[in-house]
Amino acid sequence: MPTAIRMSRAGTKKRPHYRIVVTNSRNPRDSKFIEKIGTYSPLLPSGDPKRITIDQERAKYWLSVGAQLSDRVHLFFNQAGLVATKPAQKPARKAKKDKGDVSGEASAKPEAAAAPAPAAAAEATAAA
């Protein structure tokens, strides 16, 4: 069974609170879990020790068994010193194309290509 260590939301509307849980990776986010190994309260100040709590002994066990970390939990474990590597960075988003600039350039090229065609046609009729 592929296990994952990830967060499961437990708060009310506009008051998020997360459990750090070990679960089957195929289960939905808030469904049943194997074990709760910590909590995360994003509303607490960042210096508060209760903001992120992790049972380090159980976390080390699950990592030794082969549980995979989600990106956010990987960051928490790195800050706690449980994992030496930093989580992978997501690639930067590509800049959106400005439709005004692209269509202006695209419309100028067909006009330039279309301009010689009538002149060539006029020369062909004059030659005939």
Side-chain angles (χ1 to χ4, degrees):
M1 168 173 62
T3 56
I5 301 175
R6 63 182 181 204
M7 293 192 295
S8 174
R9 187 177 166 120
T12 60
K13 183 178 177 182
K14 307 281 186 182
R15 305 280 302 165
H17 180 81
Y18 297 92
R19 296 182 200 111
I20 299 173
V21 297
V22 178
T23 184
N24 183 341
S25 64
R26 297 182 185 113
N27 286 349
R29 180 189 71 181
D30 296 334
S31 67
K32 63 182 180 179
F33 52 87
I34 299 169
E35 183 178 0
K36 176 183 158 192
I37 61 171
T39 60
Y40 170 58
S41 301
L43 296 178
L44 294 175
S46 60
D48 193 343
K50 292 184 180 179
R51 181 177 167 107
I52 302 170
T53 60
I54 300 170
D55 183 354
Q56 294 192 3
E57 183 179 318
R58 295 304 296 165
K60 287 179 185 176
Y61 165 75
W62 283 108
L63 288 172
S64 70
V65 173
Q68 297 296 309
L69 299 170
S70 70
D71 290 339
R72 179 57 56 176
V73 173
H74 193 135
L75 180 70
F76 293 155
F77 278 32
N78 184 19
Q79 292 171 351
L82 293 170
V83 179
T85 61
K86 290 187 176 182
Q89 295 287 327
K90 291 184 179 179
R93 294 179 71 180
K94 293 181 180 177
K96 290 186 178 182
K97 294 180 181 177
D98 187 14
K99 292 183 179 181
D101 291 341
V102 173
S103 63
E105 292 174 4
S107 64
K109 289 179 183 176
E111 288 173 8
E123 289 176 13
T125 56

